[in-house]
Amino acid sequence: MGGKKALGVAVALSALVLLPTASASVSLLTDAFFLGGEKVYSSSEERALDQVIRSVAAKVGEVCFLTEHHRFSSGFSYLNQIQARGALESQGWTVEEVVPFSSSKGVGVWYAVRNKGWKREEVLVLLLEVSEGGRRGYLSLCQIQ
């Protein structure tokens, strides 16, 4: 196992110890392992999040081909943001912060790209935090090209 990948695994495992409830979700679009996240399966939540991420993509001239959503029940603390970014980078993604996450606005946007063999993959990442019924964060992924 490469040194960088081994370090990423060690950091992920050590972060598991810090989580009160060791939840995690795996992204099928990015292969990233999001500690503290859980995959969104509710069709009503998925529809609402799809609408938001597709709107953001359209504003920057992109179209979503596939979407995926992960819920963070504790919102987007700095630790959650660092972990999510690190999870993407550990899978070979180069992450660019397009709109820095602001807890006052409850939104942030990243652009991630990786070359996987001969194929270039691009993903728009939306960090969205809502306060209705408690603080929750959503990490939405949109595959673009």
Side-chain angles (χ1 to χ4, degrees):
M1 186 181 297
K4 191 173 183 180
K5 193 169 191 172
L7 178 62
V9 170
V11 168
L13 292 175
S14 64
L16 275 175
V17 174
L18 301 174
L19 294 172
T21 56
S23 63
S25 59
V26 177
S27 167
L28 299 176
L29 285 178
T30 64
D31 304 320
F33 185 75
F34 299 120
L35 293 175
E38 58 185 298
K39 190 104 172 198
V40 173
Y41 290 108
S42 162
S43 59
S44 61
E45 271 182 303
E46 280 185 336
R47 275 192 304 273
L49 293 167
D50 274 353
Q51 205 171 29
V52 173
I53 188 92
R54 289 178 191 283
S55 172
V56 170
K59 287 181 181 180
V60 294
E62 297 290 350
V63 175
C64 291
F65 292 102
L66 295 172
T67 61
E68 183 179 88
H69 313 284
H70 303 267
R71 181 185 316 107
F72 290 77
S73 58
S74 61
F76 277 113
S77 65
Y78 184 69
L79 179 63
N80 283 347
Q81 293 173 53
I82 295 297
Q83 188 283 320
R85 184 178 185 137
L88 290 166
E89 290 173 344
S90 74
Q91 293 303 317
W93 293 91
T94 300
V95 179
E96 177 186 337
E97 194 173 51
V98 178
V99 177
F101 180 78
S102 163
S103 57
S104 63
K105 293 180 182 176
V107 70
V109 179
W110 299 343
Y111 169 76
V113 63
R114 78 173 169 185
N115 292 316
K116 192 171 184 181
W118 56 270
K119 184 179 176 188
R120 178 181 169 92
E121 297 176 310
E122 298 176 62
V123 173
L124 190 64
V125 181
L126 175 67
L127 304 174
L128 181 65
E129 192 169 72
V130 295
S131 300
E132 293 177 16
R135 201 169 118 199
R136 286 187 317 262
Y138 292 95
L139 185 143
S140 293
L141 303 163
C142 161
Q143 183 183 41
I144 56 177
Q145 288 191 340

